[in-house]
Amino acid sequence: DAVALLTRIVAAQSEIATAGPDPQDVVDAITYRAQELTRSAGAVLEIRDGEQMRYWSASGIAGNQVGMVLPVKGSLSGRCLDEGRVLRCDDSETDPRVNRDACRSVGLRSMLVAPLYFRRQPVGVLKVVSTVPGSYGDTDQRTLDQLSTLVAASLYKAIEHAQMRAALDHRKGQSERDRQQSREGRARLEAVLEDDQLAAALQPIVRLDDGRIVGYEALARFPVEYDMSTGRWFEEAARHGMSIQLELAAARVALAHLARIPADAYLAINVSPETVCSDELKAILTAYEPQRLVLEITEHTPVEDYGRLNACLVALQALGVRIAVDDTGAGFSSLRHVLRLAPDIIKLDFTLVREVDQRPRMQALIGALLTFARGTQAELVAEGVETPEQLETLKQLGVPYAQGYHLGYPHIP
């Protein structure tokens, strides 16, 4: 059953996403859950290092092989990276694509290998192994395929964290410069807030069956002279304990545009769980037409108290405000998270849409998520539609709403 399978994969992805800040904990959780979901004797997460594959994490029969290095050429892992799809070996003793000596050293006879991506590039593989030939079928292949897709964001965070930690170690002894940068960052935030330098760009959200614009997402825009991305502004605000202050300022600027968009269109505003529960946000929203407002819950850290968050969301929904969960399929926005929040709208992360027209596994995954959305009586919106091919594929899958550069660029009214 596709839904039951997706539920098991989602539960595993949720545990992986909350494995902790240490990158080793994250990759160890990935290998362990891959082994468990496919009932394998072991699992390996390999990272490409030049012309070699290095075992970053391993479990089961491969557990003592961490650090092992194998050539990319002549291995099933290397072929998997080249072809960008899940590959299956039914018997390592007869399959010419595999490194037979390496298989014997691990003690495996059959395996599945799925590619892993970082910044749109294949960087490694997730592999599950068995001690007997012919252990894997189509269901196992789909399981590993979907798991490797859903854990991409967690792997991304693990690699980013490892790189950041290495960079910080390299910068020891520069604490005074860091303190100066911190002071400058806070001053920059205060200047933007005090001088009302924030703006909001609106990106249309389109109904795919007739092309009608049903809503707009408000995206915060900052002064270009600082040469900082929107994400960096909010990260800096978090470091200085100014997240709520910055989000509320962005919300005020966005809400000022509500009267300028068509009366039958809604306005979506991005807020964190912390800001959702602030009394000031509720006070701001009550001055507008609540039935035309959607709050997109951005989630980049685990929710510590779902009971409190749900109570805040229910109170806002009672006013007529709708709730959307952003970035579904990435980071901590797992389907378990979606189930707990019971949103009115589920927004698919752009990483699931990017290659939907080229990869059948993405189509299968989005189809399952569409079934999930219907079952929870939520609307599904695909983000990041950039090509006609992506749009046509989403239409064929039955996705009802979408947004992206192909449908309309964000613009400041």
Side-chain angles (χ1 to χ4, degrees):
D1 181 79
V3 175
L5 176 61
L6 181 61
T7 301
R8 290 173 58 224
I9 294 171
V10 164
Q13 184 263 345
S14 180
E15 293 179 19
I16 290 165
T18 56
D22 191 289
Q24 191 63 54
D25 290 342
V26 174
V27 294
D28 286 348
I30 291 173
T31 52
Y32 176 78
R33 292 305 172 192
Q35 177 184 339
E36 182 181 60
L37 282 170
T38 56
R39 306 169 308 282
S40 296
V44 180
L45 194 153
E46 302 177 37
I47 294 294
R48 182 167 186 167
D49 183 6
E51 294 305 312
Q52 296 178 318
M53 300 295 297
R54 185 181 302 275
Y55 280 31
W56 186 357
S57 176
S59 62
I61 63 170
N64 62 348
Q65 304 290 340
V66 173
M68 185 169 74
V69 174
L70 298 170
V72 173
K73 188 175 182 180
S75 69
L76 195 63
S77 296
R79 185 181 289 265
C80 175
L81 290 177
D82 289 339
E83 298 185 14
R85 62 186 179 92
V86 177
L87 298 179
R88 182 168 72 192
C89 167
D90 291 323
D91 191 344
S92 60
E93 290 296 313
T94 60
D95 194 325
R97 302 172 299 171
V98 307
N99 185 320
R100 191 171 304 161
D101 291 337
C103 292
R104 288 174 176 173
S105 69
V106 175
L108 69 89
R109 283 293 297 272
S110 56
M111 59 181 156
L112 288 173
V113 187
L116 294 169
Y117 289 84
F118 178 70
R119 290 176 176 165
R120 304 192 180 191
Q121 297 298 319
V123 296
V125 300
L126 179 60
K127 178 166 66 180
V128 292
V129 301
S130 172
T131 57
V132 297
S135 292
Y136 300 108
D138 292 342
T139 298
D140 299 311
Q141 192 162 332
R142 287 196 301 272
T143 298
L144 192 66
D145 200 0
Q146 294 187 358
L147 180 66
S148 66
T149 300
L150 283 176
V151 302
S154 296
L155 179 66
Y156 179 95
K157 290 178 183 293
I159 294 176
E160 286 277 286
H161 188 89
Q163 291 177 343
M164 180 180 66
R165 189 166 61 184
L168 288 173
D169 290 342
H170 182 69
R171 289 171 54 196
K172 284 180 179 177
Q174 299 180 353
S175 57
E176 180 54 40
R177 191 180 79 176
D178 291 343
R179 284 193 291 269
Q180 178 62 27
Q181 289 178 341
S182 179
R183 289 192 292 268
E184 292 173 355
R186 187 176 188 89
R188 192 161 48 232
L189 281 165
E190 291 173 346
V192 166
L193 291 171
E194 290 172 4
D195 297 337
D196 295 326
Q197 298 181 50
L198 272 173
L202 304 185
Q203 183 171 42
I205 300 166
V206 176
R207 188 166 62 195
L208 298 189
D209 62 358
D210 60 6
R212 187 173 72 85
I213 294 175
V214 297
Y216 294 86
E217 180 181 357
L219 304 168
R221 292 293 182 261
F222 295 83
V224 295
E225 59 264 28
Y226 292 109
D227 193 27
M228 286 174 54
S229 68
T230 300
R232 281 189 60 196
W233 278 101
F234 284 99
E235 288 169 7
E236 193 162 85
R239 282 195 295 271
H240 294 285
M242 299 173 66
S243 292
I244 294 179
Q245 188 178 353
L246 184 60
E247 288 184 31
L248 290 175
R252 291 189 188 94
V253 172
L255 287 165
H257 295 303
L258 184 62
R260 303 176 188 174
I261 65 175
D264 58 352
Y266 65 81
L267 180 67
I269 302 168
N270 292 281
V271 289
S272 66
E274 187 180 19
T275 301
V276 160
C277 288
S278 69
D279 292 335
E280 193 170 359
L281 176 66
K282 188 174 181 179
I284 292 171
L285 297 179
T286 53
Y288 297 88
E289 301 172 74
Q291 70 276 8
R292 295 184 61 199
L293 300 178
V294 171
L295 294 181
E296 293 194 14
I297 310 302
T298 57
E299 176 73 54
H300 301 296
T301 57
V303 174
E304 300 297 336
D305 188 345
Y306 272 102
R308 177 173 178 265
L309 177 57
N310 277 322
C312 297
L313 295 179
V314 168
L316 291 169
Q317 287 172 313
L319 297 175
V321 176
R322 286 184 290 169
I323 303 300
V325 172
D326 201 12
D327 304 330
T328 300
F332 294 94
S333 291
S334 66
L335 294 193
R336 177 175 290 185
H337 174 72
V338 173
L339 279 172
R340 284 179 146 180
L341 297 187
D344 305 288
I345 299 171
I346 297 173
K347 303 196 74 174
L348 292 181
D349 187 68
F350 75 94
T351 57
L352 302 184
V353 175
R354 186 172 55 219
E355 296 179 320
V356 65
D357 57 308
Q358 304 170 32
R359 295 181 179 273
R361 66 173 182 164
M362 294 296 188
Q363 297 169 20
L365 180 57
I366 290 177
L369 290 169
L370 184 58
T371 301
F372 176 87
R374 289 168 177 161
T376 58
Q377 298 183 329
E379 296 176 352
L380 195 71
V381 178
E383 296 185 288
V385 179
E386 298 182 350
T387 69
E389 293 78 14
Q390 292 170 350
L391 178 61
E392 184 58 34
T393 302
L394 292 170
K395 285 182 178 180
Q396 292 174 3
L397 291 172
V399 174
Y401 304 99
Q403 67 185 92
Y405 291 161
H406 180 65
L407 296 168
Y409 280 84
H411 67 283
I412 299 177

